[in-house]
Amino acid sequence: MVETKVIGILSGKGGVGKTTLTFNLGTALNDFGKNTLIVDGNLTTPNLGIHAGIPLYPTTLHDVLKGKVDVYDVMHVLPSGLKIIPASINLNDLRGVDPEYLSSTLRNLIGKLDFILIDGAPGLGKESLSVLKSSNEVIGITIPDLSALTDLLKSIKLVEKYKKKYLGSIINMVKNKKYEPKKDHIMTMLGETEILGAIPHDENVRYASARRIPVIYHKPNSKASLKIKSIAAKLAGKEFKIPWYRKLFG
């Protein structure tokens, strides 16, 4: 039996790129040889299946939480080998769904996978709490913006309250502008928790999303791709070196 790391991916607010990062981190972990599953824990406004190009998958996490099907019936394997459990984009499927059953649903997968990444709903509501309770570790996603950082701090306090391990924060869409808070300021705001990485703003991410593929496949050596892969390597305990020509030419 393998040791399964169940990691909740949370943010204090929406629009910080949490789903995109979940998709790409999961893909990178899979490429590092880790048997990885990504789960759309955002039951009200799910987007993970859309990112993966399967927005209308016939059975979804909603059906599992209603007790209609087994969790293995809704697990889809993408061409990369990455596994995904999408949620339904149909509002009617929300009827009769209780997010509290997420933890027991994923319990059946413990010991069979290396990583389970759960894309949580933004904020501090019932859905994000169900993701937190289902996880044994948490990664926070934010952007270099004071309101987003303040909201993430609230999520971190919640992680501490439920006695979950906080692996650290990922600062997304960094433009290195003067108006953005500096790293020292960000660390102070987030209670001196670890910064797993700062991912630069990269238009390639949008192009990749439009093609429904990970940016690490669309442009493997783009600035965002290299940073995402370095974070995934850290999580997987693997070594990752930025190509020498990328260092040379920035």
Side-chain angles (χ1 to χ4, degrees), residues 11-29:
S11 65
K13 64 181 296 184
V16 299
K18 175 177 49 57
T19 301
T20 302
L21 277 177
T22 302
F23 183 37
N24 279 275
L25 277 177
T27 304
L29 285 168

Side-chain angles (χ1 to χ4, degrees), residues 1-7 34-37 39 72 106-118 134-137:
M1 182 180 290
V2 300
E3 180 185 356
T4 304
K5 288 182 173 291
V6 185
I7 303 176
K34 298 298 181 180
N35 190 2
T36 304
L37 167 71
V39 180
Y72 291 102
L106 298 181
R107 197 173 297 140
N108 297 326
L109 303 173
I110 301 299
K112 299 178 177 65
L113 298 153
D114 295 310
F115 283 90
I116 298 175
L117 305 184
I118 315 174
S134 303
S135 310
N136 45 43
E137 299 175 322

Side-chain angles (χ1 to χ4, degrees), residues 53-231:
I54 51 169
L56 299 175
Y57 197 56
T59 52
T60 67
L61 181 59
H62 286 71
D63 297 303
V64 179
L65 298 178
K66 291 177 183 179
K68 291 183 176 180
V69 296
D70 185 79
V71 67
Y72 291 102
D73 295 328
V74 301
M75 189 182 297
H76 183 84
V77 182
L78 300 175
S80 65
L82 175 67
K83 299 172 180 65
I84 178 173
I85 293 179
S88 174
I89 61 175
N90 190 336
L91 277 176
N92 293 328
D93 287 337
L94 280 172
R95 295 172 184 165
V97 170
D98 188 350
E100 291 294 323
Y101 290 130
L102 179 62
S103 180
S104 58
T105 295
L106 298 181
R107 197 173 297 140
N108 297 326
L109 303 173
I110 301 299
K112 299 178 177 65
L113 298 153
D114 295 310
F115 283 90
I116 298 175
L117 305 184
I118 315 174
D119 181 30
L124 306 174
K126 188 175 182 180
E127 289 178 36
S128 57
L129 275 178
S130 72
V131 171
L132 179 57
K133 293 174 182 177
S134 303
S135 310
N136 45 43
E137 299 175 322
V138 174
I139 292 175
I141 311 294
T142 185
I143 57 175
D145 170 81
L146 290 178
S147 61
L149 290 164
T150 302
D151 288 340
L152 178 59
L153 179 59
K154 296 174 186 175
S155 296
I156 294 174
K157 295 298 182 185
L158 205 58
V159 172
E160 295 172 351
K161 176 183 176 182
Y162 281 88
K163 295 180 170 56
K164 304 291 183 175
K165 182 179 180 181
Y166 190 68
L167 295 177
S169 307
I170 296 176
I171 316 302
N172 198 22
M173 306 182 202
V174 178
K175 297 180 179 179
N176 290 317
K177 298 293 185 180
K178 290 183 178 180
Y179 55 76
E180 293 178 337
K182 303 303 179 189
K183 183 177 180 180
D184 291 346
H185 188 191
I186 290 174
M187 289 186 68
T188 301
M189 284 193 68
L190 298 181
E192 302 297 333
T193 53
E194 184 178 353
I195 304 296
L196 294 176
I199 299 175
H201 176 79
D202 189 339
E203 285 296 325
N204 289 300
V205 175
R206 289 186 177 273
Y207 283 108
S209 294
R211 292 182 60 195
R212 303 293 181 255
I213 61 173
V215 69
I216 65 171
Y217 288 172
H218 173 65
K219 289 289 182 181
N221 289 323
S222 69
K223 293 182 288 186
S225 294
L226 292 173
K227 197 63 186 180
I228 290 168
K229 286 188 277 191
S230 70
I231 295 170

